[in-house]
C-alpha cells in the first residue's frame, strides 16, 4: 500500500535581499495509512514550513525554492499544477491550527463557514443538507447544542468549543491526511488535553493519517505512533514513539526531553542554544513492522 | 435586527445633540462677523430709519440669546426665516438647490466606493506586482490634489480638448423637465424622458468624478492597507489551507474584516464631499446649494447662512449614522456588544 505521505530529501530556501537562506536541509519523512506521526522540534526548526509545503501553500510564495520530492498518495506534488494542488486542500488534506478562535473568520457565523468547507467536498450541497451534516459532525466532537454553535460567531464561543469546531471542519470531507500544527497550544492545558483526546478518537475512527507538529513531548507521547525530531532543518532522530522515549539516541532529543518540567521538581536544566552534539548524524531507530 | 435598531436610536440622539451645538455655533459666528446685514440688504441708498426698521424686524437689536430663542421658535415650525438675498423663505431656496448638490455628492460617493474599493482589493491581492504599483501611483496622485484641481483638469481634457462630455451645467437647455423631486435622475424618469435622463447622466460624470477622485484614491489606499493587515491573520491561512481560490479569499474572507476599520473613514470622506462640492460646483456651473451658500455668505444673509450650514451638517450627520449602521451590519462584534452595553 502506498504511503499517505512520503517526503524525501526535502529542501527549502528563502531568497532574500541578502542572498539565500536554507531552512530545510533535506528532510525525509513518511506517514503510512492511518498512521499518526509527530514532527517535534523547537521554534524555527522547520516544522511549520514542512506542513505548509505539504499543503502546497509555501510554493505559491515568491522567493521560495523547494527541492526534493513530496509524494501524497503516490503522486508527486511538484508534478501537479497550482490548481490541482489547491484541489487537494480541504478535501484530501486539511489542517488544524494553533489558535482556533483567531483561525475562524470573525465576521461570519460558524454555520456559514462550515457550509463552505462542506462545499469543498460536495459543491452542490444545499444550505439545509449542509446544516444537517454540520450538526452531525459537531455531534461527533461532543457538541450537543449544535444549533446554537452554528448560529454563533467565533468570538461568542470558548476556545475549546472553537477547537472542536475546527476539528470537525478539518475532518468533514474525510481527508486522507490531517495536519495538526501545534493544535490547541493557545488553549489552557485541560482543554487542550480534552480536544486532543477527541481528535485522537476521531482520526482513529476515520483511519486518517496525521502529521502532528509540536514542541511538546508530553503531548506527542500520548498522541503519536512514530516520532521525527527536527533540529535546524534536519531530522536528528526518528523511530516509534516507544523507541525514541525509551532510548533517545541523539543529544538534541535528550536535551529536548530534559527540558520538560517535572512535578518531582529539580528545575529545568540549562541547555545551550547550540551545541556541536546537536549537529551529530541522525539516529534512526528500526521501524516496527507495520 | 433589534441590535441594529438600538445602534440607530443611539446615534440619532447623539446626532441631534451635535446638530443643536452646530446651530448655536453658526448662529453666533454669523452674528459676530462685522457688518450690518440690514444695511447690506438695503443697499447704499437706504436711510438710517429704514435700516433701523429692518433691523428691528429681524430682531437684530435684541441680545443674541433672545435672537436664538426666536430662531428656535421658528425652526420648530419648519421656518428658517426669509433670505435677504433672494427675498424668499430659506427653506424654499434650500429645497430648490439642495437636490442638485445631493445628486452630485451621491454619484461621487458611489464612484468612490465602486472604484476605490476594488482598486484597493486588487492592489492588496497582487501586492508588490505591477498592478499594485500602478494603483498605488494612481492613488497617491489623486489623494494629493484637491477636487477643484481635478475639476479643472478633467474639464480641460474631457470637455475641451477631447469634447466627450458637456463642459458645464446639469442638463442641456433643450430639455425642460418639470421639477418634482429636484433630483434630475428621478424627475426625468417620472417624465418618462429617457433621453433627458441620459443627457443628465452625461452631465454629471465629470463633476462627480472630479469630486470623487481624491476619495477614490483614499478608499483604495485604506482598503489596501487594511487588506494587507488582514492577509496576515490566521483565518486567511486557514481559508487557504482549505483550498479556496485566491479571488474568493480576497473578496469574501479578507475584504469584509478589512472594511470594518476602512468604512468609518470612507464614510467621513463621503460626508466631507458636501463641503468640497463648493468649488467643484463653481467650476462646472452646477446649480447646487454650494453656489447659493457662497452667495449668501458674501451678502451676510444671516438666515440663509444658518439654514445652509444646518442642512449641510444634518446631511453630514445622516451619512455618519448610515455608515455606523453599515459597520454594525458587517461587524458582528458591534451588533452583539450593544446588547449588553
Amino acid at each position: 500500500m502506498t504511503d499517505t505521505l512520503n517526503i524525501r530529501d526535502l529542501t527549502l530556501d528563502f531568497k532574500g535581499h541578502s542572498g539565500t537562506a536554507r531552512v530545510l536541509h533535506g528532510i525525509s519523512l513518511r506517514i503510512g495509512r492511518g498512521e499518526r506521526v509527530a514532527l517535534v522540534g523547537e521554534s524555527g526548526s522547520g516544522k511549520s514550513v514542512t506542513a505548509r509545503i505539504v499543503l502546497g501553500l509555501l510554493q505559491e510564495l515568491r522567493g521560495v525554492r523547494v527541492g526534493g520530492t513530496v509524494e501524497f498518495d503516490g503522486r508527486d506534488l511538484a508534478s501537479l499544477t497550482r490548481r490541482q494542488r489547491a484541489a487537494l486542500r480541504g478535501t484530501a488534506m486539511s489542517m488544524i491550527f494553533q489558535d482556533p478562535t483567531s483561525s475562524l473568520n470573525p465576521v461570519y457565523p460558524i454555520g456559514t463557514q462550515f457550509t463552505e468547507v462542506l462545499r469543498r467536498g460536495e459543491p452542490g450541497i444545499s444550505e439545509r443538507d449542509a446544516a444537517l451534516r454540520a450538526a452531525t459532525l459537531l455531534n461527533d466532537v461532543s457538541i450537543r447544542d449544535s444549533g446554537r454553535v452554528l448560529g454563533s460567531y467565533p468570538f461568542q464561543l470558548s476556545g475549546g468549543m472553537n477547537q472542536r469546531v475546527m476539528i470537525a471542519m478539518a475532518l468533514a470531507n474525510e481527508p486522507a491526511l490531517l495536519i495538526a500544527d501545534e493544535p490547541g497550544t493557545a488553549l489552557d492545558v485541560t482543554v487542550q488535553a480534552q480536544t486532543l483526546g477527541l481528535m485522537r478518537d476521531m482520526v482513529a475512527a476515520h483511519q486518517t493519517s496525521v502529521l502532528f507538529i509540536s514542541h511538546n513531548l508530553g503531548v506527542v507521547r500520548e498522541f503519536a505512533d512514530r516520532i521525527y525530531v527536527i533540529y535546524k532543518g534536519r531530522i536528528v532522530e526518528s523511530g516509534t514513539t516507544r523507541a525514541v522515549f525509551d532510548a533517545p539516541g541523539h543529544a538534541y532529543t535528550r536535551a529536548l526531553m530534559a527540558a520538560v518540567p517535572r512535578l518531582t521538581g529539580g528545575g529545568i536544566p540549562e541547555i545551550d542554544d547550540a551545541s556541536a552534539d546537536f549537529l551529530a548524524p541522525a539516529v534512526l531507530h528500526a521501524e516496527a513492522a507495520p | 435586527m433589534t441590535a441594529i435598531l438600538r445602534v440607530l436610536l443611539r446615534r440619532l440622539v447623539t446626532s441631534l445633540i451635535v446638530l443643536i451645538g452646530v446651530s448655536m455655533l453658526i448662529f453666533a459666528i454669523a452674528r459676530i462677523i462685522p457688518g450690518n446685514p440690514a444695511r447690506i440688504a438695503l443697499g447704499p441708498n437706504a436711510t438710517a430709519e429704514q435700516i433701523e426698521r429692518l433691523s428691528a424686524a429681524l430682531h437684530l437689536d435684541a441680545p443674541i440669546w433672545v435672537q436664538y430663542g426666536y430662531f428656535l421658535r421658528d425652526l420648530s415650525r419648519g421656518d428658517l426665516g426669509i433670505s435677504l438675498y433672494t427675498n424668499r423663505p430659506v427653506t424654499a431656496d434650500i429645497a430648490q438647490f439642495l437636490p442638485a448638490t445631493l445628486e452630485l455628492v451621491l454619484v461621487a460617493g458611489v464612484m468612490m466606493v465602486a472604484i476605490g474599493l476594488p482598486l484597493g482589493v486588487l492592489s492588496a491581492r497582487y501586492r508588490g506586482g505591477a498592478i499594485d504599483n500602478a494603483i498605488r501611483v494612481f492613488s497617491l496622485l489623486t489623494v494629493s490634489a484637491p477636487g477643484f484641481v481635478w475639476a479643472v483638469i478633467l474639464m480641460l481634457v474631457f470637455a475641451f480638448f477631447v469634447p466627450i462630455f458637456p463642459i458645464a451645467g446639469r442638463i442641456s437647455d433643450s430639455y425642460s423637465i418639470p421639477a418634482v423631486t429636484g433630483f434630475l435622475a428621478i424627475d426625468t424618469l417620472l417624465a418618462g424622458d429617457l433621453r433627458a435622463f441620459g443627457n443628465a447622466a452625461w452631465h454629471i460624470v465629470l463633476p462627480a468624478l472630479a469630486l470623487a477622485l481624491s476619495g477614490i484614491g483614499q478608499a483604495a489606499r485604506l482598503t489596501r492597507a487594511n487588506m494587507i493587515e488582514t492577509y496576515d491573520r490566521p483565518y486567511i491561512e486557514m481559508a487557504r489551507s482549505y483550498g479556496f481560490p485566491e479571488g474568493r479569499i480576497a473578496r469574501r474572507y479578507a475584504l469584509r474584516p478589512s472594511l470594518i476599520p476602512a468604512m468609518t473613514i470612507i464614510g467621513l470622506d463621503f460626508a466631507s464631499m458636501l463641503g468640497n462640492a463648493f468649488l467643484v460646483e463653481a467650476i462646472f456651473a452646477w446649480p447646487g446649494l454650494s453656489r447659493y451658500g457662497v452667495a449668501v455668505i458674501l451678502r451676510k444673509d444671516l438666515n440663509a447662512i444658518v439654514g445652509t450650514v444646518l442642512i449641510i451638517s444634518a446631511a453630514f450627520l445622516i451619512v455618519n449614522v448610515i455608515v455606523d449602521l453599515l459597520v454594525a451590519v458587517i461587524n458582528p462584534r458591534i451588533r452583539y456588544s450593544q446588547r449588553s452595553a
Side-chain angles (χ1 to χ4, degrees):
Chain A
M1 210 156 58
T2 49
D3 288 332
T4 305
L5 188 68
N6 195 342
I7 300 176
R8 284 188 304 273
D9 295 323
L10 182 66
T11 60
L12 170 67
D13 297 283
F14 285 115
K15 273 180 287 181
H17 292 293
S18 51
T20 306
R22 175 148 283 204
V23 178
L24 294 178
H25 300 263
I27 72 167
S28 298
L29 177 158
R30 53 164 286 274
I31 303 176
R33 289 198 186 246
E35 204 180 13
R36 297 190 295 265
V37 171
L39 185 57
V40 190
E42 60 189 35
S43 309
S45 58
K47 319 182 291 278
S48 293
V49 287
T50 306
R52 280 153 184 77
I53 292 173
V54 174
L55 276 171
L57 291 176
L58 217 52
Q59 291 91 319
E60 311 278 309
L61 303 179
R62 269 174 299 170
V64 168
R65 188 173 293 157
V66 177
T69 53
V70 180
E71 272 177 20
F72 176 73
D73 252 341
R75 286 202 286 174
D76 185 359
L77 283 187
S79 71
L80 302 180
T81 63
R82 190 181 262 224
R83 190 177 288 259
Q84 284 170 320
R85 278 202 300 261
L88 291 176
R89 295 202 284 275
T91 56
M93 49 171 105
S94 58
M95 182 149 160
I96 292 176
F97 292 86
Q98 211 171 57
D99 179 2
T101 305
S102 59
S103 296
L104 292 162
N105 200 297
V107 298
Y108 297 110
I110 302 290
T112 309
Q113 303 187 46
F114 219 118
T115 303
E116 298 192 346
V117 166
L118 285 170
R119 286 202 170 130
R120 289 286 301 142
E122 190 184 338
I125 191 168
S126 72
E127 203 83 28
R128 255 195 50 182
D129 290 349
L132 288 175
R133 275 288 315 276
T136 317
L137 289 161
L138 288 181
N139 198 46
D140 289 346
V141 291
S142 308
I143 294 180
R144 302 283 166 245
D145 49 349
S146 57
R148 178 184 72 91
V149 170
L150 287 173
S152 300
Y153 291 88
F155 67 87
Q156 294 174 302
L157 300 175
S158 68
M161 206 58 131
N162 283 325
Q163 180 75 329
R164 285 158 197 252
V165 168
M166 278 230 295
I167 293 171
M169 274 185 186
L171 295 172
N173 294 322
E174 304 264 339
L177 176 67
L178 176 70
I179 299 173
D181 187 2
E182 305 262 6
T185 312
L187 303 176
D188 60 57
V189 188
T190 49
V191 178
Q192 188 186 3
Q194 259 177 24
T195 50
L196 279 176
L198 205 63
M199 192 167 99
R200 199 185 144 114
D201 297 344
M202 294 283 291
V203 295
H206 293 260
Q207 277 294 298
T208 316
S209 309
V210 181
L211 175 59
F212 189 92
I213 289 169
S214 183
H215 63 272
N216 187 335
L217 283 169
V219 168
V220 164
R221 189 173 197 170
E222 292 290 312
F223 192 85
D225 302 325
R226 279 194 302 119
I227 294 182
Y228 290 86
V229 181
I230 184 170
Y231 175 69
K232 289 197 172 170
R234 290 182 179 85
I235 300 287
V236 294
E237 182 156 2
S238 75
T240 60
T241 306
R242 162 167 273 182
V244 173
F245 273 93
D246 284 353
H250 197 275
Y252 179 70
T253 313
R254 284 197 293 270
L256 207 57
M257 284 180 180
V260 176
R262 278 165 219 287
L263 277 177
T264 48
I268 299 172
E270 283 290 324
I271 300 176
D272 295 329
D273 274 350
S275 149
D277 292 345
F278 294 173
L279 298 172
V283 178
L284 306 175
H285 295 266
E287 282 191 20
Chain B
M1 278 295 142
T2 48
I4 298 280
L5 281 180
R6 216 159 307 188
V7 176
L8 177 68
L9 207 67
R10 181 177 303 212
R11 297 294 286 117
L12 282 181
V13 170
T14 48
S15 298
L16 198 67
I17 296 170
V18 171
L19 209 53
I20 292 172
V22 168
S23 75
M24 288 182 182
L25 206 63
I26 189 63
F27 197 84
I29 289 174
R31 277 159 179 77
I32 288 166
I33 304 169
N36 185 343
R39 186 185 298 278
I40 299 173
L42 292 172
N45 300 324
T47 64
E49 195 200 343
Q50 281 175 315
I51 292 170
E52 214 159 287
R53 225 180 314 139
L54 185 59
S55 297
L58 293 171
H59 308 297
L60 288 176
D61 46 359
I64 191 162
W65 54 86
V66 177
Q67 293 185 39
Y68 186 70
Y70 281 121
F71 164 78
L72 280 187
R73 188 197 65 194
D74 291 347
L75 185 65
S76 67
R77 301 184 197 133
D79 180 5
L80 286 169
I82 305 286
S83 161
L84 297 178
Y85 163 50
T86 58
N87 274 322
R88 299 195 308 167
V90 171
T91 46
D93 285 343
I94 288 173
Q96 184 190 338
F97 296 116
L98 183 64
T101 297
L102 280 187
E103 201 167 50
L104 181 65
V105 169
L106 283 176
V107 172
V110 169
M111 282 179 171
M112 173 170 88
V113 174
I115 302 172
L117 284 192
L119 284 184
V121 173
L122 277 177
S123 204
R125 196 185 145 195
Y126 299 106
R127 183 184 179 187
I131 297 177
D132 180 28
N133 287 336
I135 292 174
R136 281 162 72 193
V137 169
F138 168 81
S139 310
L140 196 62
L141 209 68
T142 52
V143 170
S144 15
F148 61 87
V149 173
W150 292 116
V152 173
I153 293 173
L154 287 175
M155 182 190 250
L156 275 176
V157 175
F158 295 108
F160 185 72
F161 293 126
V162 190
I164 309 172
F165 292 101
I167 205 154
R170 258 184 113 188
I171 190 163
S172 300
D173 292 337
S174 52
Y175 297 98
S176 65
I177 301 296
V180 184
T181 60
F183 291 92
L184 275 182
I186 299 173
D187 288 350
T188 51
L189 291 180
L190 282 179
D193 193 341
L194 280 181
R195 289 187 43 150
F197 179 80
N199 185 278
W202 212 232
H203 273 80
I204 207 168
V205 171
L206 285 190
L209 190 61
L211 190 55
L213 263 181
S214 327
I216 290 173
Q218 184 76 357
R221 285 161 60 90
L222 265 173
T223 310
R224 177 183 187 273
N226 285 310
M227 287 271 291
I228 282 171
E229 216 183 299
T230 306
Y231 267 127
D232 283 337
R233 297 291 166 91
Y235 52 82
I236 295 299
E237 186 169 40
M238 165 130 161
R240 287 191 171 130
S241 83
Y242 275 97
F244 295 117
E246 275 300 310
R248 187 177 166 78
I249 288 176
R251 284 190 310 274
R252 188 161 163 76
Y253 293 91
L255 178 60
R256 200 157 147 182
S258 310
L259 277 184
I260 294 168
M263 193 86 115
T264 314
I265 298 176
I266 291 175
L268 285 177
D269 274 0
F270 177 63
S272 67
M273 281 183 183
L274 281 163
N276 295 338
F278 269 62
L279 288 162
V280 173
E281 284 188 6
I283 292 166
F284 283 98
W286 192 264
L289 191 62
S290 313
R291 288 214 301 182
Y292 175 73
V294 173
V296 296
I297 288 170
L298 293 177
R299 284 172 182 78
K300 202 168 160 49
D301 184 349
L302 292 181
N303 290 335
I305 294 173
V306 173
T308 308
V309 171
L310 267 189
I311 288 297
I312 288 183
S313 312
F316 196 101
L317 289 169
I318 289 169
V319 170
N320 263 320
V321 171
I322 293 172
V323 167
D324 281 350
L325 284 184
L326 286 177
V327 170
V329 167
I330 59 170
N331 187 356
R333 262 174 214 271
I334 289 188
R335 245 181 294 150
Y336 289 96
S337 69
Q338 298 283 339
R339 184 168 293 172
S340 53

